[in-house]
């Protein structure tokens, strides 16, 4: 009789253990703010100035003294013109300044009237046709950012809005975490690269290597420098040699396939021979054959992290998002945000939940609910293309029409 199988580790435990093992890289780069999209800040950004730097008009119109306009019949004398990028003179009682959006409000003025609410007479006489409150249409100095404020924290993953904010503080360069160096290889004697053999000439049993394409794209999106080591044959020697050479100059070795239980699966024993395996097999579907460990370096000190992803494309894709993405964020010193599911109604039925936590490929429909892709097999990559996210379904949970379920949109992970 076989020994009873140890229960598989729950995903949250596996992720917590994996993240515990990752020490953020010490190396950093200073890059042009223009080139910092997707990089992770290595130091806090503290503002050296107020934004806006000066009180300015948020309208095209006239700068006035609100107290002058208590009587609606009052005519003001337009004495100056202040376009954006220019400064005016102090405004005296009874005067108005023609002003444009972004121009500094002159001393003495305490409100801006939009030009649609005014009428000019004799060229320089101004009649204001609406009530005016002190402070209106003025953007105050420092209302966006105060001098000395910490505007962005180390660990922030920079995106378009944060780059704009950094630029508004005058920062042309930013200190960011170094890019993780990742060695990527695919295992499997059945794999053929697109372009090497035409579809009509594919030998029996051969398939195209699809994992290599989406994994490379995912790694690039996560800010990595990728060394693509191609396809490694299913032998112990080739697997050992590839792992050994990859460990020296990379922070992470990422493989797909060959981490299951068959005797053609050489990755697991090879990692054990060259380092250690700390996690193997997770209670999730798809994605059970996931492995995490490290490979010792031969020529330099230290070790490279190792992640073995399942060979089945959908398993590989989903485990990358759930496990490798957090690992890469942490390596770069970035915050690893918890999953933030949307609660959405199922417009489908799942008669019986799997015993593992399941990530079902689904997509939002126009009625505000979720449709399920009919074929949830881990080899069906079409499901990941059709879907715009996954339903995170607890073990053993059946789903009835209309049940609120946890939906994780791909868009949040792929940004
Ligand atoms: P394995 O984990 O190596 O047993 O592979 C599981 C399944 O995934 C098999 O059907 C493989 O042919 C398939 N597979 C493995 N690697 C890839 C890949 N790079 N691209 C597409 N399918 C793959
Ligand atoms: Mg294989």
């Amino acid at each position: 009789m076989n020994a009873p199988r140890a229960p598989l580790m729950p995903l949250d435990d596996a992720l917590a253990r994996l993240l515990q093992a990752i020490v953020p890289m010490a190396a950093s780069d200073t890059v042009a703010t223009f080139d910092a999209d997707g990089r992770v800040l290595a130091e806090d950004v503290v503002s050296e100035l107020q934004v806006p730097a000066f009180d300015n008009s948020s309208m095209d119109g006239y700068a006035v003294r609100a107290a002058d306009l208590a009587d609606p019949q009052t005519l003001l004398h337009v004495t100056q013109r202040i376009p954006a990028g220019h400064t005016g003179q102090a405004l005296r009682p009874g005067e108005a300044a023609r002003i444009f959006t972004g121009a500094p409000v002159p001393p003495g003025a305490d409100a801006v009237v939009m030009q649609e609410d005014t009428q000019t007479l004799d060229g320089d006489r101004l009649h204001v046709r609406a009530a005016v409150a002190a402070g209106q249409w003025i953007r105050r100095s420092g209302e966006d950012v105060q001098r000395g404020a910490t505007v962005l924290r180390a660990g922030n993953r920079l995106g378009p809005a944060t780059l704009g904010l950094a630029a508004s503080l005058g920062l042309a360069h930013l200190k960011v975490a170094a890019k993780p160096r990742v060695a990527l290889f695919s295992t499997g004697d059945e794999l053929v690269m697109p372009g090497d053999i035409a579809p009509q000439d594919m030998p029996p049993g051969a398939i195209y290597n699809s994992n290599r394409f989406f994994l490379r794209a995912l790694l690039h999106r996560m800010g990595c420098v990728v060394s693509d080591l191609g396809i490694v044959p299913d032998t112990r020697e080739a697997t050992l040699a590839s792992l050994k050479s990859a460990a020296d100059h990379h922070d992470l070795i990422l493989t797909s396939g060959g981490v299951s239980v068959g005797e053609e699966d050489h990755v697991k024993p090879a990692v054990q021979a060259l380092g250690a395996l700390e996690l193997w097999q997770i209670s999730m579907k798809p994605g059970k054959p996931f492995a995490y460990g490290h490979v010792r370096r031969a020529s330099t000190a230290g070790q490279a992290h190792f992640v073995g992803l399942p060979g089945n494309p959908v398993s590989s894709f989903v485990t990358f998002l759930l496990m490798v993405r957090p690992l890469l964020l942490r390596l770069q010193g970035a915050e690893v945000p918890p999953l933030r599911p949307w609660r959405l109604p199922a417009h489908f039925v799942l008669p019986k939940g799997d015993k593992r936590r399941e990530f079902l490929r689904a997509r939002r429909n126009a009625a505000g609910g979720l449709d399920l892709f009919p074929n949830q097999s881990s080899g069906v990559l079409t499901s990941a293309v059709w879907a715009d996210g996954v339903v995170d379904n607890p073990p053993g949970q059946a789903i009835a029409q209309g049940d609120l379920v946890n939906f994780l949109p791909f868009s949040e992970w792929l940004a």
Side-chain angles (χ1 to χ4, degrees):
M1 215 178 85
N2 287 334
R5 287 191 27 200
L8 298 178
M9 187 181 289
L11 172 61
D12 289 341
D13 297 354
L15 183 59
R17 284 187 44 177
L18 180 146
L19 290 177
Q20 251 169 31
I22 310 292
V23 178
M25 301 178 302
S28 64
D29 295 329
T30 295
V31 296
T33 305
F34 270 132
D35 301 326
D37 188 24
R39 305 293 294 270
V40 176
L41 266 182
E43 62 184 10
D44 290 351
V45 168
V46 176
S47 179
E48 290 179 22
L49 79 170
Q50 306 267 98
V51 182
F54 46 87
D55 290 357
N56 68 91
S57 176
S58 61
M59 286 288 163
D60 291 335
Y62 294 86
V64 300
R65 306 163 72 101
D68 288 351
L69 295 166
D71 176 354
Q73 303 304 320
T74 306
L75 292 183
L76 298 175
H77 187 203
V78 181
T79 52
Q80 53 179 321
R81 191 171 183 278
I82 316 173
H86 299 262
T87 52
Q89 308 294 320
L91 203 70
R92 287 175 302 226
E95 290 181 352
R98 179 77 173 114
I99 197 163
F100 298 88
T101 304
V105 173
D110 63 0
V112 170
V113 186
M114 56 167 118
Q115 68 190 41
E116 293 87 336
D117 288 339
T118 63
Q119 194 179 7
T120 39
L121 312 159
D122 308 332
D124 63 351
R125 298 279 143 185
L126 184 76
H127 180 226
V128 176
R129 296 183 301 209
V132 175
Q136 71 176 37
W137 305 125
I138 295 178
R139 301 188 285 216
R140 293 289 172 196
S141 167
E143 74 175 36
D144 187 356
V145 177
Q146 292 281 331
R147 183 181 292 112
T150 301
V151 177
L152 298 168
R153 300 247 170 227
N156 186 306
R157 188 151 177 257
L158 297 161
T162 37
L163 295 184
L165 185 58
S168 78
L169 307 177
L171 297 172
H173 294 90
L174 295 168
K175 190 172 167 192
V176 296
K179 292 184 166 205
R181 301 161 304 166
V182 182
L184 174 65
F185 59 85
S186 326
T187 72
D189 287 348
E190 70 280 29
L191 300 178
V192 169
M193 282 303 287
D196 283 358
I197 302 179
Q200 64 275 16
D201 300 329
M202 284 286 270
I207 62 166
Y208 288 117
N209 185 346
S210 51
N211 296 359
R212 186 173 178 181
F213 287 79
F214 65 73
L215 290 175
R216 201 148 110 168
L218 287 166
L219 288 167
H220 283 142
R221 284 196 184 203
M222 291 308 300
C224 301
V225 182
V226 181
S227 315
D228 190 332
L229 305 178
I231 299 168
V232 176
D234 282 327
T235 68
R236 180 177 161 80
E237 296 66 42
T239 309
L240 282 170
S242 304
L243 288 173
K244 217 184 266 179
S245 72
D248 277 345
H249 301 292
H250 297 95
D251 304 298
L252 169 67
I253 302 171
L254 185 66
T255 67
S256 81
V259 278
S260 210
V261 292
E263 60 267 27
E264 293 297 333
D265 293 322
H266 300 282
V267 176
K268 183 182 172 224
V271 172
Q272 286 168 318
L274 298 173
L277 210 62
E278 279 132 53
L279 293 172
W280 185 58
Q281 296 206 323
I282 303 178
S283 179
M284 64 183 282
K285 187 183 177 188
K288 178 176 126 182
F290 174 95
Y292 167 74
H294 62 261
V295 177
R296 280 185 303 274
R297 293 185 175 131
S299 60
T300 56
Q303 57 196 36
H305 296 283
F306 163 81
V307 169
L309 296 177
N312 275 308
V314 183
S315 312
S316 215
F317 186 72
V318 171
T319 46
F320 184 99
L321 298 178
L322 286 163
M323 302 290 279
V324 181
R325 185 176 187 277
L327 180 159
L328 291 169
L329 288 175
R330 180 139 171 79
L331 258 189
Q332 295 175 78
E335 299 137 21
V336 179
L339 298 178
R340 291 184 306 171
W342 300 23
R343 298 284 289 165
L344 291 176
H347 288 182
F348 63 87
V349 175
L350 187 77
K352 189 170 174 292
D354 194 85
K355 58 182 187 297
R356 287 176 269 157
R357 179 171 171 184
E358 192 168 10
F359 295 91
L360 300 156
R361 273 74 71 212
R363 88 177 174 200
R364 286 164 286 196
N365 60 33
L370 294 169
D371 295 329
L372 192 68
F373 191 74
N375 186 345
Q376 293 286 327
S377 159
S378 60
V380 176
L381 206 43
T382 324
S383 70
V385 174
W386 180 92
D388 61 2
V390 285
V391 172
D392 180 358
N393 195 43
Q397 177 82 56
I399 300 174
Q401 189 71 234
D403 281 358
L404 287 181
V405 296
N406 286 332
F407 178 72
L408 300 164
F410 288 144
S411 55
E412 206 161 299
W413 281 318
L414 299 178

